[in-house]
Amino acid sequence: MSGQSLLVPGEITPVRSVPGNIRRPEYVGKPAPTPYTGPEVQDTDTVERMRIAGRIAAQAMEEAAKHIAPGVTTDQLDKVAHDFMVDHCAYPSTLGYRGFPKSLCTSLNEVICHGIPDSTVLRDGDIVNLDVTAYINGVHGDNNATYLCGDVDEESRLLVERTRESLNRAIKAVKPGRQINVIGRVIESYAKRFGYGVVRDFTGHGINTSFHSGLIIPHYDSPHATTVMQPGMTFTIEPMLTLGTHEYDMWEDGWTVVTKDRKRTAQFEHTLVVTETGAEILTLP
């Protein structure tokens, strides 16, 4: 495994501004979002709007990823994604969500998820997850991917490659009439081939007009995930695989989640809609 030193919190820059003409999600300025009470199955108009939000999120993530290089700060990546979304009249969904101070999440190496962009400088050999969600026309599109920074060791490179593959396999398992737990079963069985841990406490989720609708998509074979998939359901799949334990610690910032053994972790995510025959990815650039 890489001999990189462990991460420590950096300095967080002031909150970036969003033009007043861009519509905000209802939770901005509030301690928590209003609980979602609508359906998990969306109409065709909502799905079409989610395609637009998903495309912007995917493009913003791609644009930020172009700047991943040794010497770049995670705050600089945040600025790129923020500016892209704002330039496309979208609001960065994470900005102000339960007080989160930035426009995307940057999770490096041992950070499982929800890393806050700050003055941390990327190093040669890091792996970098970017998690970008865009809000436009009243709906959200959410995606993330893990990228290589410079010359990455083979163990980390394989972890990233296999985590991407676990998402691809999970998407292929989506079919109307199947229970949600088939998704986690596919991911967990694949991860076990390589001795990887599968994070259990952070999951995929329903998404639509709500950032997190309340529908839970576990990435392990949960006996409780018995909801049956139906055409029009929209949700994310976002497996988090680790080189060691699936257990975690939380930094004092209340957001940054790191593996308890501080071994590396990777994640990939798409927003999907269930179709009559399978799944359509809504977060394509």
Side-chain angles (χ1 to χ4, degrees), residues 131-161:
D131 192 338
V132 181
T133 310
Y135 178 78
I136 188 170
N137 298 326
V139 297
H140 300 269
D142 185 3
N143 68 164
N144 76 56
T146 303
Y147 299 89
L148 310 181
C149 181
D151 185 17
V152 174
D153 68 276
E154 184 177 12
E155 186 178 39
S156 299
R157 183 182 57 76
L158 286 172
L159 173 68
V160 171
E161 182 181 301

Side-chain angles (χ1 to χ4, degrees), residues 181-201:
N181 57 13
V182 71
I183 294 169
R185 190 176 308 136
V186 166
I187 292 168
E188 186 172 40
S189 64
Y190 180 71
K192 279 184 174 179
R193 292 192 201 176
F194 312 104
Y196 295 154
V198 181
V199 172
R200 302 167 78 91
D201 293 271

Side-chain angles (χ1 to χ4, degrees), residues 112-114 199-204 217-219 238 240 248 250 255 257:
I112 294 171
C113 57
H114 303 159
V199 172
R200 302 167 78 91
D201 293 271
F202 300 90
T203 68
I217 312 294
H219 303 120
E238 45 189 299
M240 292 153 259
Y248 69 93
M250 180 88 70
W255 284 104
V257 179

Side-chain angles (χ1 to χ4, degrees), residues 63-199:
E63 196 61 34
K66 292 176 185 176
H67 296 263
I68 290 175
V72 174
T73 68
T74 55
D75 187 67
Q76 288 173 280
L77 301 178
D78 179 79
K79 184 179 188 304
V80 173
H82 176 95
D83 289 348
F84 185 94
M85 285 185 274
V86 166
D87 288 347
H88 289 76
C89 299
Y91 186 91
S93 300
T94 60
L95 186 61
Y97 179 77
R98 295 184 182 271
F100 192 83
K102 290 294 172 180
S103 298
L104 81 164
C105 300
T106 49
S107 301
L108 280 57
N109 301 339
E110 70 269 21
V111 179
I112 294 171
C113 57
H114 303 159
I116 301 174
D118 59 17
S119 61
T120 297
V121 176
L122 301 183
R123 301 163 297 181
D124 186 59
D126 283 342
I127 59 174
V128 186
N129 181 272
L130 303 181
D131 192 338
V132 181
T133 310
Y135 178 78
I136 188 170
N137 298 326
V139 297
H140 300 269
D142 185 3
N143 68 164
N144 76 56
T146 303
Y147 299 89
L148 310 181
C149 181
D151 185 17
V152 174
D153 68 276
E154 184 177 12
E155 186 178 39
S156 299
R157 183 182 57 76
L158 286 172
L159 173 68
V160 171
E161 182 181 301
R162 290 164 176 168
T163 305
R164 181 192 293 112
E165 176 63 15
S166 77
L167 173 60
N168 292 339
R169 289 173 180 237
I171 292 170
K172 289 177 182 176
V174 172
K175 295 282 191 301
R178 290 181 175 177
Q179 293 183 343
I180 290 290
N181 57 13
V182 71
I183 294 169
R185 190 176 308 136
V186 166
I187 292 168
E188 186 172 40
S189 64
Y190 180 71
K192 279 184 174 179
R193 292 192 201 176
F194 312 104
Y196 295 154
V198 181
V199 172

Side-chain angles (χ1 to χ4, degrees), residues 47 51 171 174-178 229-235 272-282:
V47 172
R51 284 191 188 96
I171 292 170
V174 172
K175 295 282 191 301
R178 290 181 175 177
M229 291 182 267
Q230 303 174 58
M233 287 181 70
T234 49
F235 53 80
L272 313 170
V273 59
V274 181
T275 67
E276 296 291 342
T277 58
E280 176 193 345
I281 299 172
L282 299 178

